[in-house]
């Protein structure tokens, strides 16, 4: 099984609406750190900017993005080995 599939299988997305938009919680249940997280509206052919900046999502940890516009997104994660 490819490492990317393992990382994606370890994700849990939950959204909650509030005044500034929605939040998305990412749970990394894989054996690899996640170094980059890209979101793109499903209708767009281009990826948005990296959402993590200087942060890293360690193994067996969670990360929450706040202020995300309510929409349907595609997600791309890049782990420590690219």
């Amino acid at each position: 099984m490819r490492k990317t599939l393992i990382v994606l299988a370890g994700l849990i997305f939950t959204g909650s609406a509030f005044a500034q938009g929605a939040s998305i919680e990412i749970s990394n249940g894989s054996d690899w750190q996640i170094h980059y997280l890209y979101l793109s509206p499903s209708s767009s052919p281009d990826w948005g900017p990296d959402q993590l900046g200087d942060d890293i999502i360690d193994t067996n940890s969670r990360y929450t993005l706040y202020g995300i516009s309510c929409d349907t997104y595609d997600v791309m994660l890049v782990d420590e080995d690219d």
Side-chain angles (χ1 to χ4, degrees), residues 7-26:
V7 171
L8 291 176
L11 291 178
I12 299 171
F13 292 97
T14 60
S16 62
F18 56 84
Q20 265 48 26
S23 63
I24 300 173
E25 181 180 87
I26 297 123

Side-chain angles (χ1 to χ4, degrees), residues 13-77:
F13 292 97
T14 60
S16 62
F18 56 84
Q20 265 48 26
S23 63
I24 300 173
E25 181 180 87
I26 297 123
S27 177
N28 182 4
S30 75
D31 292 331
W32 298 275
Q33 293 177 328
I34 297 171
H35 286 238
Y36 302 96
L37 185 151
Y38 300 96
L39 294 178
S40 172
S42 295
S43 59
S44 175
D46 301 316
W47 290 107
D50 172 36
Q51 299 293 312
L52 294 180
D54 292 332
D55 292 333
I56 292 173
I57 306 173
D58 279 321
T59 60
N60 299 311
S61 67
R62 295 178 180 189
Y63 186 88
T64 304
L65 293 172
Y66 296 98
I68 305 298
S69 299
C70 293
D71 202 346
T72 302
Y73 291 92
D74 294 327
V75 178
M76 177 172 60
L77 303 171

